[in-house]
């Protein structure tokens, strides 16, 4: 009797997963209605003491997906940030109309492996989270994507 209950329970649990997988296979892409439009990548203007890692020039672009504009970033920098520090300036055409924030990976020190990436309306790109006891020595921008205003 318990063997039959297990079989019924297993079938009941597997059914929603099978239906969901089928729906995902036949669903239209979410961007089909609005499309995707990506601007070209543009280099960030780095501050003194902040350098691009070889082969990973820090760049940003705006990408529109189904009518929503996002800022995407890529590349990596080396630095020595012992305080909240401006690391770059956004190109004039890529400045937000309101403060935007994202999280970016940094050197893992004392169990902290992320920092705050923030761009203001003047185009200043600041990295938050470094201090003298736990300086940020590199930041990777590849995971930065935030809604743009």
């Amino acid at each position: 009797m318990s063997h039959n209950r297990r079989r019924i329970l297993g079938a009941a649990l597997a059914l929603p997963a099978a239906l969901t997988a089928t729906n995902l296979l036949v669903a239209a892409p979410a961007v089909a209605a609005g499309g995707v439009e990506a601007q070209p990548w543009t280099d960030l203007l780095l501050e003194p003491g902040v350098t691009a890692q070889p082969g990973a020039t820090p760049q940003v672009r705006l990408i529109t997906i189904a009518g929503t504009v996002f800022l995407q970033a890529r590349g990596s920098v080396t630095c020595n940030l012992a305080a909240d520090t401006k690391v770059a300036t956004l190109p004039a055409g890529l400045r937000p109309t309101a403060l935007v924030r994202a999280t970016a990976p940094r050197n893992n020190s004392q169990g902290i492996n992320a920092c705050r990436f923030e761009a203001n309306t003047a185009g200043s790109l600041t990295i938050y989270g470094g201090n003298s006891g736990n300086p940020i020595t590199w930041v990777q921008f590849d995971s930065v994507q935030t809604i743009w205003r």
Side-chain angles (χ1 to χ4, degrees):
M1 187 75 165
S2 66
H3 181 63
N4 287 340
R5 287 184 189 156
R6 282 188 214 136
R7 187 177 311 160
I8 292 170
L9 180 59
L13 292 174
L15 185 58
L19 291 174
T20 300
T22 301
N23 289 339
L24 287 174
L25 291 174
V26 298
V31 297
V36 175
E37 180 184 328
Q39 293 182 3
W41 290 101
T42 304
D43 292 353
L44 289 172
L45 308 167
L46 299 178
E47 291 293 309
V50 178
T51 58
Q53 290 184 357
T57 301
Q59 298 176 315
V60 291
R61 71 176 178 179
L62 295 181
I63 184 166
T64 304
I65 302 173
T68 302
V69 180
F70 297 89
L71 172 79
Q72 288 184 329
R74 70 179 180 185
S76 299
V77 296
T78 56
C79 48
N80 188 18
L81 309 180
D84 302 337
T85 307
K86 177 182 175 183
V87 296
T89 301
L90 296 169
L94 297 176
R95 295 187 180 169
T97 58
L99 187 67
V100 295
R101 294 182 176 132
T103 303
R106 59 161 281 188
N107 57 298
N108 187 358
S109 178
Q110 301 176 8
I112 300 171
N113 59 11
C115 57
R116 188 170 83 214
F117 170 108
E118 185 174 290
N120 67 23
T121 58
S124 292
L125 194 157
T126 302
I127 297 297
Y128 290 85
N131 61 59
S132 60
N134 188 359
I136 297 174
T137 59
W138 60 262
V139 180
Q140 183 189 52
F141 298 139
D142 292 350
S143 66
V144 171
Q145 180 167 299
T146 184
I147 292 178
W148 206 238
R149 301 177 198 169

